[in-house]
Structure formats: C-alpha cells, structure tokens
Amino acid sequence: MTLIEIGGFARLSSVDWPGQLAATVFCQGCPWACRYCHNTSLMRAGSGAGPSWAEVRSFLQTRRGLLDAVVFSGGEPTLQTHLPEAMAEVRAMGFRVGLHSAGPYPARLAAVLPLVDWVGFDVKAPFAEYERITGVPGSGERAAESLRLLVASGVAFETRTTVHPALLDDAALARIAAELAALGIANNRIQPFRSLGCTDAALAA
C-alpha cells in the first residue's frame, strides 16, 4: 500500500536529528517554492523517485535495534495525507519519530504531533515577510500558527533558518529572533545557504 509518496530515502543519517542515528524519508511535494531550496526535485506533488513505502518499511524491519529513529523530511511531510499512519507504523517497530516541517498546514501538524518525538522547524523569515521567500501569500500566518501549536505541544524541537544575504540581512534576522523570543524560543540555528541543488540562478551565482 502506498501510504506516502517518497522522493528519496537515506538509510543512515547522523545529521537529520542531532544525537540520533536515523533513517530519513524524503517525502515528495511541497506547497511552497522557496528560492534557496536545494531539494527542488521534491517540490512537485505526486509520485516520487524514491522507493515505495512498502520497501522502506521492509528495510526498517531489518534495522530494529540498530537505528534510533526515522525522520520524515521533504519536501513537506505534512502534505502527505497518510503521514499519521506511516508514523504509527514506524513507532510500532520501536523507532523514535522525527519530523522536518515548515508548518504550511497547522491542522495537519497538530494531528501528527502526538506521534512525534522531535521536530526540526524551518523558520523562513519574519512572519510578515514570508511571501518573498516562499512565493505564497499567507504562508507566514500558517507558519506562525504551526509554531505556536508546536511550542504548546511540549514536543522537543529546534528552529532553524537558512540564510542567503540577498534574502535575509542582519535586521531581518533580528526580527526573527524577536518573534521567536516572544514565543519563548531563545535559540534559533542559522544554516548557511547551499548552492548545490538550488535552481535560482541569481542566488546560486
């Protein structure tokens, strides 16, 4: 059964969830089109180039007791309607569950949080300025609501922001820090822009 569409699969990762040895499922599809994205092949919704969920599940069965966790990344995992079922299957195998999300679907995020042990949450910009990064009106409001839900849930998380100097200057980073501080978030990890995989010629030059 195809529970989720998969664009790629990393059998072993030590970086997708700090401190955990994980397998990472890269879900296909994202509703946003961030200019600096280095996984542009995952933006398109629909069938992905990765293995089937059944193949991933079979592999995970062989890694019980060897891997700590499974991380659902993307793309945007909450785009997948059956993400809760896939997470429940992973938990039933004894793995911890991690999630990478930018929060475009607050209600869907809220639905999976009880199944998740840790979230890596991408903060794109000051919330009022999201559209110039994502290309989607209203995306900042959705992200802010998702982050409020995440904070209230008590699930462990980190926030991180990818920085290209043409998109976010020091003043914008200060505004992000202030907005996160208002939510009780003291530390935001800064990720430098990576040109590999980016299809925006003006940024990758």
Side-chain angles (χ1 to χ4, degrees):
M1 178 182 179
T2 302
L3 276 183
I4 56 176
E5 298 293 347
I6 299 172
F9 181 57
R11 293 170 176 244
L12 177 63
S13 171
S14 61
V15 299
D16 288 315
W17 181 348
Q20 301 287 308
L21 288 178
T24 304
V25 179
F26 294 94
C27 298
Q28 184 70 36
C30 182
W32 295 347
C34 299
R35 291 182 59 191
Y36 54 65
C37 182
H38 64 274
N39 279 335
T40 52
S41 63
L42 298 176
M43 284 185 179
R44 175 188 51 81
S47 59
S52 69
W53 175 247
E55 291 170 320
V56 169
R57 188 173 52 205
S58 294
F59 170 77
L60 293 176
Q61 290 284 4
T62 71
R63 292 301 184 267
R64 296 172 74 173
L66 300 175
L67 291 176
D68 301 315
V70 176
V71 175
F72 292 87
S73 188
E76 172 53 51
T78 59
L79 181 67
Q80 305 290 325
T81 304
H82 295 289
L83 183 63
E85 291 94 324
M87 287 180 165
E89 289 189 4
V90 165
R91 292 193 74 85
M93 284 186 249
F95 297 106
R96 303 183 77 199
V97 175
L99 173 67
H100 292 172
S101 180
Y105 303 110
R108 293 185 184 185
L109 178 64
V112 300
L113 284 176
L115 298 167
V116 172
D117 298 289
W118 174 85
V119 176
F121 192 94
D122 294 307
V123 177
K124 306 291 186 180
F127 293 123
E129 302 169 38
Y130 257 57
E131 184 177 350
R132 65 185 177 84
I133 304 291
T134 67
V136 177
S139 50
E141 289 84 349
R142 288 173 173 264
E145 176 60 19
S146 289
L147 188 53
R148 285 190 288 268
L149 290 167
L150 176 57
V151 170
S153 75
V155 173
F157 70 93
E158 73 165 11
T159 61
R160 61 271 184 102
T161 299
T162 297
V163 175
H164 188 294
L167 298 176
L168 292 175
D169 59 16
D170 289 343
L173 292 176
R175 291 194 295 276
I176 292 171
E179 291 179 348
L180 296 182
L183 293 172
I185 302 169
N187 297 305
N188 183 41
R189 183 159 64 90
I190 300 301
Q191 301 180 144
F193 163 77
R194 292 189 294 165
S195 61
L196 182 64
C198 177
T199 58
D200 189 310
L203 296 183

